[in-house]
Amino acid sequence: MVTGILVYLTGVSYLIYRLPFVECLMFGALISATDPVTVLSIFQELGTDVNLYALVFGESVLNDAMAISLYRTMSLVRSHMSSDQNLFMVVVRFLETFVGSMSAGVGVGFTSALLFKYAGLNIDNLQNLECCLFVLFPYFSYMLAEALGLSGIVSILFTGIVMKHYTFSNLSDKSQKFVAAFFHLISSLAETFIFIYMGFDIAMEQHSWSHIGFIFFSILFIGIARAANVFSCAYLVNMARPSHKKISMKHQKALWYSGLRGAMAFALALQSVHDLPEGHGQTIFTVTTAIVVLTVLLIGGSTGTMLEALEVVGDGHEIPLGESFDANNGYRAPTYEGESSSGNRFKMKLSEFRKSTASFSELDKNYLTPFFTTQSGEDDEHDDIFSDNGRGSYD
């Protein structure tokens, strides 16, 4: 949203094309969606630290959910603009969209886990039905959220997270291999299609390329807003983390640099063409398309150089994130030396909060995993964003 506010202030100063305030916030919401597909593929190829990979991936996933919810909220605010509209109602609408969509997605995910655990579909003559149901459950989550007036994309996102962690382990071995290969194929096709579509769109659609200043200032504001977001959030997170789990400055710079825009921003911008009249949507669509192309080419093409400059290539053998717990699975609170008493009190409160959130791993291992899956809590976790590595990246 920082980008939207800066764009509005610049427009008021007549430096760039002027948009109404709510439409600037809509632009700021959609352009905040990051899509570091190119960066993550280079991360894997060069063998960067798994913590950095999880940070970039997780930040991108959560950014998508927040961007969609914020865009829908701002769109509703614009369409129902009235004198009694205030900040409180905007916050309520945002929470209604985001929390409602997340709850619908998580609920469908847990329901699928229980179904696959007790329905007995993991036998030879029912494997086709098992795979079909596993593929259709996310679509059901999407349709349910849309029917309730919520965000289907946010709902399907959280359904996928829950199903990967719980439902997937209830499948038979053959079904696991099939659905893993199927979703990998679908994701690759979707990514390829969106870039082909963008290429055809640039060549065939009419764009307002006269707003070069809008494009330039937008890219500048994106960098400023992302720096404010990444470094401030990392600072707060590091205050609650033990010293061996802090996000290093190198990783913070890599995270800031990895904020290229892609499919989600492009899709929301395409939606804005229908949502905004008077050519404003077309202007936003043109600016977003230019930003997506430039960030993909510039950031994607220079990622290897950036990783080498930050000296994070091949540092994927650091202390595993799971080692932040001692032998009895208890959290080791960080120690702070040489700090002021007020700083100590504040950091101790943060460490207590961090200690309480660490108990989720115990809750998941001892209660949720045995209840929703056929495996015990002591079994090895799947290598996903809920595993020790992924979970530590968001703590």
Side-chain angles (χ1 to χ4, degrees), residues 94-227:
F94 169 74
L95 293 177
E96 177 185 356
T97 302
F98 182 76
V99 178
S101 303
M102 180 181 66
S103 301
V106 172
V108 172
F110 281 136
T111 301
S112 68
L114 292 176
L115 173 66
F116 282 92
K117 179 179 180 180
Y118 294 109
L121 300 175
N122 55 348
I123 56 179
D124 291 338
N125 59 339
L126 291 179
Q127 285 182 355
N128 289 338
L129 176 61
E130 184 182 29
C131 294
C132 289
L133 287 177
F134 189 88
V135 172
L136 290 176
F137 255 102
Y139 184 70
F140 170 72
S141 172
Y142 178 89
M143 296 301 295
L144 175 64
E146 290 294 328
L148 295 175
L150 303 172
S151 173
I153 299 178
V154 175
S155 177
I156 201 174
L157 168 65
F158 285 97
T159 299
I161 292 174
V162 175
M163 290 185 67
K164 172 64 173 121
H165 188 53
Y166 298 107
T167 311
F168 185 79
S169 60
N170 293 333
L171 301 177
S172 62
D173 292 338
K174 291 183 179 179
S175 296
Q176 287 184 356
K177 294 178 181 178
F178 173 80
V179 297
F182 175 79
F183 280 112
H184 180 73
L185 173 63
I186 292 298
S187 64
S188 299
L189 287 175
E191 292 169 3
T192 304
F193 172 79
I194 194 66
F195 282 105
I196 293 176
Y197 183 86
M198 288 172 55
F200 276 106
D201 174 81
I202 295 173
M204 301 179 65
E205 292 289 336
Q206 294 182 352
H207 293 279
S208 303
W209 296 114
S210 59
H211 303 298
I212 302 299
F214 197 163
I215 299 173
F216 172 78
F217 279 102
S218 295
I219 295 177
L220 177 63
F221 294 154
I222 287 172
I224 295 173
R226 184 162 180 81

Side-chain angles (χ1 to χ4, degrees), residues 7 9-18 212-214 217 221:
V7 166
L9 294 177
T10 310
V12 171
S13 304
Y14 298 100
L15 294 177
I16 62 174
Y17 183 75
R18 182 175 180 178
I212 302 299
F214 197 163
F217 279 102
F221 294 154

Side-chain angles (χ1 to χ4, degrees), residues 58-115:
E59 188 253 355
S60 171
V61 170
L62 294 180
N63 259 4
D64 285 352
M66 298 297 290
I68 296 167
S69 300
L70 283 173
Y71 178 84
R72 289 176 65 99
T73 301
M74 292 299 106
S75 180
L76 288 174
V77 169
R78 181 192 173 279
S79 60
H80 297 87
M81 189 70 70
S82 62
S83 58
D84 60 348
Q85 191 75 49
N86 53 43
L87 180 61
F88 175 75
M89 291 305 300
V90 173
V91 174
V92 169
R93 289 182 181 275
F94 169 74
L95 293 177
E96 177 185 356
T97 302
F98 182 76
V99 178
S101 303
M102 180 181 66
S103 301
V106 172
V108 172
F110 281 136
T111 301
S112 68
L114 292 176
L115 173 66

Side-chain angles (χ1 to χ4, degrees), residues 2 55 59 62-63 225-241 245-249 252 255 350 393-395:
V2 175
L55 281 170
E59 188 253 355
L62 294 180
N63 259 4
R226 184 162 180 81
N229 177 33
V230 169
F231 295 115
S232 62
C233 291
Y235 175 77
L236 294 176
V237 169
N238 284 340
M239 292 180 68
R241 281 190 170 191
K245 290 185 61 179
K246 293 183 183 297
I247 303 175
S248 66
M249 183 55 64
Q252 293 180 39
L255 184 61
L350 287 176
S393 299
Y394 309 124
D395 289 343

